[in-house]
Amino acid sequence: MKILKTLTLRGPNYWSIRRKKLIVMRLDLEDLAEKPSNEIPGFYDGLVEVLPSLIEHYCSPGHRGGFLERVKEGTYMGHIVEHVALELQELTKMPVGFGRTRETATPGVYNVVFEYVDEQAGRYAGRAAVRLCRSIVDTGTYPLRELEQDLNDLQDLQANASLGPSTQTLVTEAEARNIPWMPLSARAMVQLGYGVHQKRIQATLSDYSGILAVELACDKEGTKTILQDAGVPVPKGTTIQFFEELESAIDDVGGYPIVIKPLDGNHGRGITIDINSTKEAEEAYDLASEESKTRSVIVERFYKGSDHRLLVINGKLVAVAERVPAHVVGDDKHTIEELIEITNEDPRRGDGHDNVLTRIKVDKTVLGMLDKQGLRLDTILEKGEIAYLRATANLSTGGIAIDRTDDIHPENLWIAERVAKIIGLDIMGIDVVTPDITKPLKEVDGVIVEVNAAPGFRMHVAPSQGLSRNVAAPVMDMLFPPESPSRVPIVAITGTNGKTTTTRLTAHIYRQTGKVVGYTSTDGVYIGEYLVEKGDNTGPYSAAMILKDPTVEVAVLESARGGILRSGLAFDNCDVGIVLNVAADHLGLGDINTIEQMARVKGVVAEVVHADGYAVLNADDPLVTAMAEQVKGKVAYFSMNPDNEVIQNHTRRDGMAAVYENGYISILEGQFTLRIEEAVNVPMTMNGMAPFMIANALAACLAAFCQGVDIEDIRQGVRTFKASANQTPGRMNLFNLGDYHALVDYAHNPAGYEAVGEFVKNWKGQRLGVVGGPGDRRDEDLVLLGKIAAGVFDRILVKEDDDKRGRDRGEAADLIIDGILSENDQADYQAILDETEAIEYGLDKVDKGGLVVIFPESVTRAISLINKRNPI
């Protein structure tokens, strides 16, 4: 078996709208292409021995063990690789379940599709599944050490890529509220929401976390001073920078016991508590000094009591947790070292912050803590006896958390909320030491020892004991108060032809409303009036650029076939999904071989329209009309024929539509007609002579109307939008060169040629075409281009693209010429393969009053050559 290509889909896609995260692995079965599993000796037994957990896969039989039944009866290796890739992820605690395997048009080559949690782990799982299956085919088994290595590697990939527990808690809450999110490329930031409504978080820092408050929280001595001046109970202490100051500092706080910690530390690093001797103090000073960036150390009086974390969000206390340092409890049988190992077997414990709890690591600090208690690793504790392994209660060092939210005294709650306002943090963790959280701090000599910006959430979300608290909810309430938007309107546009013009016109109409519009097209990414990135930008990367921009109020996104197949859509749903048409273009690429399959690709845009949105569909194209069955939102149709049966039936049911009637671009709402503008007054329609441009205008007007854009704004938009080289380069750009005209259009498929031809046939003078086609199109597509050209032009110059896309020089041109001659064996044609030379020749040789129509590979180059001739 050989993996030919692997794609990572990150959004709604050809294979699934709901399952957005999919790996698509193009797999050549090679020698196994004609061998079902029941004809491979020992394969079934070997697979069950290596992965017995496959018994849980239902597969098409629909019951436990169903997949293994299929293997026993005989199924092909692509299907088996799919299930193995899923199971390897399941074994490493990545819940996945969706898979599809389909043979391509190439015999023995399959698309193996399966779900992933982390994309790197998903791709690895696919490779590992192929290795595993090949090994069982060849040897009857897969070595245990290799399976263990695969699982370890998958765990590492997942751990390295996963969000931290606090961030994951926030993201999960956002998803529950239908708030979109996406990771940003720097500083582990996550964006919540789209465009102008977005908010950003970094762990539990948010847009509302002021820099002054964060800096103050990181300055432990400054925090204590501010709180002390406000009458808040804080530890007595002082800050020193030199070892020589240690002794006097201890005297200043009243002697032992003391706490020594770095001035600017975090996560409990460098802190030593309950110090009772000079030797301990000196060691603690060295430890704290090493952890401090400024080499400054805090010496404080040690207060007895339990460590508590109070979480305040947006000025309100939402959770309290008592934190207990890492410890083990004796059972009269096991040594402390063995008890640590038993404790670490708890499935809730992981490395670092990867899990609910953290594994306990034996290090110098643990040994020192045991020594303080007169214990060693080989000590066997009596039943119920506790051995503390850390002085501090941080979860990151193996501690546990006990929920105390319902136990806190009202006065302590008031103090916590007051402290949050004094410091000024929107999300704050307050560390309190008190013997009894149910009593006022001042009564029991309790103190606030520290405040924290970006506090961890996992002790509250998943406490070791007590109730779980949804602390992400108040964060979302703060960032996105009830009824406040998190999304901007998204208009997604797809189709075989007309996408870019429709995208630009739709954006132009929306700009009449005064909103900042971001749009993507084959020309580039635009925000407002400005080009952000030049080039073909119709995929998910470009769409994400628009959705990440904090100035964008409306997103208009051209969504081409290639991006949908390669990566899926960049958005989970849209407000309007426009499908213009489906024609035979790009067939044979990306395993899309039929026009019906292409319709399924384009139909993704219609399917992701949300329940209150509109799918705007071409009623004149049966493949597009059929998409209505899969639409979860509302449907609106457009048509060049007001008597179209689909339109008639739809409007009888009070549906919305746009039609070309009596020379007008009009909106139909049930039995009412709203005329936008007469087509001859819409510049892009070339005085009403370009029917496909009228169709594009219908779609754009209908999309805007569906979203509540005022009819006057729509009217103004179509009146002022021109298919010029400036507004829509390469889309019906007509140049007046005095004695003749030149037309540049990026049409590169039969449907595009036919659409332009409808306009060209109306030209009164000579019609000279400079034609060509992309080399990666099917032979029959190139021949058809020639046939269409022969029916449109009086004279034809056949050129080729600079990029031959795998063909030999002259091969694509020869196929086009074959088409020309099959349509008209007396046709006036000439092959000039170089595009620049062909364009120049055509412009030089066209008759007076004629029209030169150029279908270029490079629109920029063609327009530049024309502009050198000083068009009027």
Side-chain angles (χ1 to χ4, degrees):
M1 288 183 289
K2 180 167 64 178
I3 299 172
L4 303 178
K5 182 167 63 175
T6 303
L7 299 175
T8 306
L9 308 184
R10 304 176 182 90
N13 56 77
Y14 174 75
W15 299 96
S16 175
I17 300 301
R18 190 167 64 88
R19 308 279 187 162
K20 303 176 182 68
K21 300 170 73 172
L22 299 177
I23 299 295
V24 181
M25 190 166 65
R26 199 165 194 266
L27 182 65
D28 187 348
L29 298 188
E30 297 182 311
D31 59 309
L32 299 173
E34 301 298 327
K35 280 191 177 181
S37 52
N38 62 330
E39 295 180 11
I40 302 173
F43 183 83
Y44 174 83
D45 291 336
L47 183 64
V48 172
E49 180 182 356
V50 173
L51 288 176
S53 51
L54 286 170
I55 188 72
E56 301 299 334
H57 289 221
Y58 282 37
C59 199
S60 55
H63 57 79
R64 186 173 184 266
F67 167 66
L68 290 180
E69 286 178 11
R70 292 284 309 277
V71 176
K72 198 166 192 176
E73 293 166 358
T75 188
Y76 286 99
M77 199 55 62
H79 180 213
I80 297 169
V81 166
E82 168 207 323
H83 279 266
V84 171
L86 290 170
E87 185 58 21
L88 291 174
Q89 294 178 84
E90 283 282 349
L91 290 173
T92 46
K93 298 180 182 177
M94 289 182 274
V96 289
F98 179 85
R100 291 284 184 273
T101 299
R102 298 290 184 268
E103 189 171 16
T104 69
T106 305
V109 176
Y110 288 76
N111 278 318
V112 179
V113 182
F114 56 89
E115 194 175 6
Y116 67 84
V117 172
D118 167 64
E119 60 184 63
Q120 294 301 322
R123 293 170 76 97
Y124 183 101
R127 297 192 300 271
V130 171
R131 285 198 308 271
L132 185 149
C133 291
R134 182 78 252 185
S135 177
I136 297 174
V137 169
D138 294 339
T139 69
T141 189
Y142 189 60
L144 179 60
R145 65 181 182 280
E146 292 191 26
L147 178 61
E148 290 176 345
Q149 185 64 55
D150 287 336
L151 297 179
N152 288 335
D153 289 345
L154 282 168
Q155 286 175 329
D156 290 343
L157 288 168
Q158 162 73 341
N160 292 335
S162 62
L163 300 170
S166 298
T167 307
Q168 185 61 61
T169 298
L170 291 169
V171 163
T172 301
E173 180 65 20
E175 289 176 340
R177 297 179 181 217
N178 197 30
I179 297 171
W181 68 277
M182 59 182 75
L184 300 179
S185 54
R187 301 185 64 81
M189 291 191 295
V190 169
Q191 176 180 314
L192 304 171
Y194 288 151
V196 71
H197 300 304
Q198 68 177 268
K199 300 293 188 295
R200 292 177 182 175
I201 57 172
Q202 182 188 57
T204 58
L205 291 174
S206 84
D207 278 348
Y208 299 154
S209 302
I211 184 65
L212 291 178
V214 172
E215 290 292 329
L216 179 57
C218 293
D219 177 359
K220 300 186 189 307
E221 191 62 18
T223 296
K224 189 168 72 172
T225 301
I226 289 283
L227 295 181
Q228 190 172 38
D229 290 346
V232 175
V234 295
K236 184 177 182 181
T238 186
T239 301
I240 61 177
Q241 286 187 303
F242 303 102
F243 177 77
E244 291 76 11
E245 300 174 285
L246 179 59
E247 186 175 347
S248 61
I250 295 171
D251 291 338
D252 288 344
V253 301
Y256 300 109
I258 61 170
V259 175
I260 295 180
K261 56 187 176 182
L263 178 65
D264 48 4
N266 54 45
H267 297 298
R269 288 190 286 267
I271 298 177
T272 309
I273 68 173
D274 198 10
I275 299 167
N276 288 283
S277 70
T278 301
K279 180 182 177 184
E280 290 177 343
E282 291 174 350
E283 290 175 351
Y285 174 88
D286 290 339
L287 180 64
S289 181
E290 288 173 4
E291 286 291 337
S292 173
K293 295 175 184 176
T294 61
R295 314 297 287 185
S296 299
V297 170
I298 296 175
V299 179
E300 288 179 345
R301 175 188 159 199
F302 175 67
Y303 291 79
K304 294 188 179 296
S306 298
D307 188 329
H308 295 77
R309 167 62 63 84
L310 283 55
L311 182 64
V312 181
I313 296 174
N314 199 24
K316 298 295 182 183
L317 183 118
V318 298
V320 179
E322 179 183 349
R323 299 187 295 179
V324 181
H327 65 280
V328 292
V329 181
D331 60 0
D332 257 340
K333 298 177 183 177
H334 297 92
T335 66
I336 290 176
E337 186 171 24
E338 290 169 339
L339 290 172
I340 292 173
E341 291 176 0
I342 293 169
T343 301
N344 284 337
E345 289 174 2
D346 185 337
R348 296 177 299 169
R349 290 191 181 267
D351 294 321
H353 295 279
D354 296 339
N355 223 330
V356 174
L357 297 171
T358 301
R359 289 190 181 95
I360 300 168
K361 294 182 180 179
V362 176
D363 55 18
K364 180 180 176 182
T365 303
V366 168
L367 297 176
M369 190 68 186
L370 289 175
D371 185 59
K372 255 179 120 170
Q373 300 167 80
L375 303 170
R376 300 186 310 178
L377 286 175
D378 59 1
T379 301
I380 296 177
L381 299 173
E382 293 181 9
K383 190 170 184 178
E385 183 183 357
I386 298 175
Y388 287 98
L389 306 171
R390 296 273 178 178
T392 56
N394 295 74
L395 267 64
S396 58
T397 57
I400 65 170
I402 303 169
D403 178 65
R404 299 291 190 200
T405 306
D406 296 332
D407 301 334
I408 188 170
H409 190 277
E411 183 175 318
N412 296 340
L413 184 153
W414 171 76
I415 289 174
E417 294 180 348
R418 180 168 175 252
V419 165
K421 288 181 171 63
I422 291 169
I423 302 301
L425 271 176
D426 59 328
I427 302 172
M428 172 187 277
I430 303 173
D431 291 341
V432 173
V433 172
T434 177
D436 190 346
I437 196 67
T438 68
K439 296 178 181 177
L441 296 183
K442 291 179 180 177
E443 283 187 13
V444 293
D445 199 24
V447 289
I448 292 177
V449 296
E450 191 169 300
V451 301
N452 299 271
F457 281 0
R458 66 173 175 162
M459 71 184 76
H460 307 295
V461 173
S464 310
Q465 299 174 32
L467 296 177
S468 171
R469 305 290 173 170
N470 182 4
V471 296
V475 175
M476 290 300 125
D477 290 340
M478 174 182 70
L479 297 177
F480 299 97
E483 306 305 320
S484 66
S486 63
R487 299 171 181 265
V488 297
I490 295 176
V491 180
I493 299 163
T494 195
T496 301
N497 293 302
K499 296 186 295 296
T500 298
T501 299
T502 306
T503 296
R504 282 179 166 271
L505 175 57
T506 304
H508 183 73
I509 290 171
Y510 266 101
R511 279 203 295 269
Q512 310 309 305
T513 68
K515 295 189 183 230
V516 176
V517 181
Y519 69 92
T520 63
S521 71
T522 52
D523 306 321
V525 177
Y526 292 81
I527 296 175
E529 300 291 337
Y530 299 99
L531 173 64
V532 175
E533 185 170 294
K534 191 175 182 179
D536 189 345
N537 288 274
T538 57
Y541 170 82
S542 308
M545 185 185 298
I546 293 295
L547 297 175
K548 288 177 182 177
D549 191 278
T551 67
V552 167
E553 297 174 280
V554 178
V556 181
L557 307 174
E558 182 176 342
S559 304
R561 162 208 64 89
I564 296 173
L565 288 173
R566 286 192 303 272
S567 300
L569 296 174
F571 45 90
D572 53 358
N573 57 57
C574 60
D575 298 88
V576 178
I578 302 175
V579 185
L580 296 169
N581 42 61
V582 181
D585 189 28
H586 295 96
L587 296 183
L589 302 176
D591 292 315
I592 303 301
N593 301 299
T594 69
I595 195 168
E596 289 76 18
Q597 289 176 323
M598 184 61 74
R600 282 183 54 204
V601 177
K602 306 288 186 184
V604 170
V605 167
E607 288 188 59
V608 299
V609 171
H610 63 68
D612 295 324
Y614 278 89
V616 173
L617 305 179
N618 185 350
D620 298 330
D621 187 327
L623 287 170
V624 177
T625 305
M627 295 175 188
E629 296 178 9
Q630 303 302 320
V631 174
K632 298 174 182 62
K634 305 168 189 175
V635 175
Y637 293 103
F638 65 95
S639 173
M640 292 293 291
N641 175 17
D643 297 323
N644 180 297
E645 186 177 353
V646 173
I647 297 289
Q648 293 292 315
N649 291 335
H650 188 62
T651 54
R652 269 197 296 269
R653 296 192 298 270
D654 293 327
M656 191 182 298
V659 296
Y660 180 51
E661 53 85 26
N662 296 315
Y664 281 87
I665 293 168
S666 299
I667 300 289
L668 306 181
E669 276 194 292
Q671 303 307 308
F672 296 97
T673 300
L674 300 170
R675 284 181 168 172
I676 304 294
E677 184 56 270
E678 198 170 1
V680 294
N681 296 327
V682 176
M684 64 181 282
T685 70
M686 306 289 193
N687 292 317
M689 292 192 298
F692 73 99
M693 283 296 202
I694 298 174
N696 292 340
L698 290 172
C701 292
L702 184 55
F705 189 79
C706 287
Q707 280 293 289
V709 177
D710 187 80
I711 200 80
E712 285 302 323
D713 289 328
I714 298 174
R715 187 171 290 130
Q716 180 66 14
V718 296
R719 283 173 176 169
T720 57
F721 181 80
K722 297 179 181 179
S724 66
N726 292 327
Q727 280 196 306
T728 56
R731 271 72 189 176
M732 293 295 287
N733 305 147
L734 186 64
F735 299 86
N736 184 347
L737 290 158
D739 290 339
Y740 62 95
H741 285 70
L743 177 71
V744 176
D745 194 275
Y746 187 59
H748 52 276
N749 57 58
Y753 270 39
E754 287 176 341
V756 175
E758 290 177 350
F759 167 78
V760 175
K761 287 176 183 178
N762 294 319
W763 196 264
K764 300 304 182 185
Q766 183 194 32
R767 304 187 297 268
L768 187 154
V770 181
V771 307
D776 59 356
R777 300 311 195 264
R778 300 176 303 174
D779 289 0
E780 55 263 43
D781 295 330
L782 294 170
V783 170
L784 184 55
L785 290 181
K787 288 183 177 181
I788 296 169
V792 172
F793 299 109
D794 306 315
R795 188 175 182 185
I796 305 170
L797 302 179
V798 182
K799 53 87 180 180
E800 282 194 337
D801 294 351
D802 296 340
D803 182 0
K804 304 296 183 293
R805 305 195 187 191
R807 290 188 183 269
D808 293 333
R809 180 172 173 77
E811 185 181 351
D814 287 343
L815 290 166
I816 291 173
I817 291 169
D818 288 345
I820 293 170
L821 295 176
S822 69
E823 183 70 16
N824 179 7
D825 59 6
Q826 300 300 313
D828 182 0
Y829 76 91
Q830 185 176 350
I832 303 176
L833 299 186
D834 181 80
E835 182 167 284
T836 298
E837 185 180 343
I839 293 171
E840 294 279 28
Y841 187 87
L843 295 172
D844 288 339
K845 299 300 182 181
V846 66
D847 293 346
K848 188 174 182 178
L851 174 68
V852 181
V853 179
I854 303 164
F855 297 118
E857 174 191 28
S858 171
V859 171
T860 303
R861 175 171 57 196
I863 292 174
S864 176
L865 291 171
I866 293 169
N867 282 335
K868 287 179 181 178
R869 295 172 182 251
N870 300 315
I872 299 171

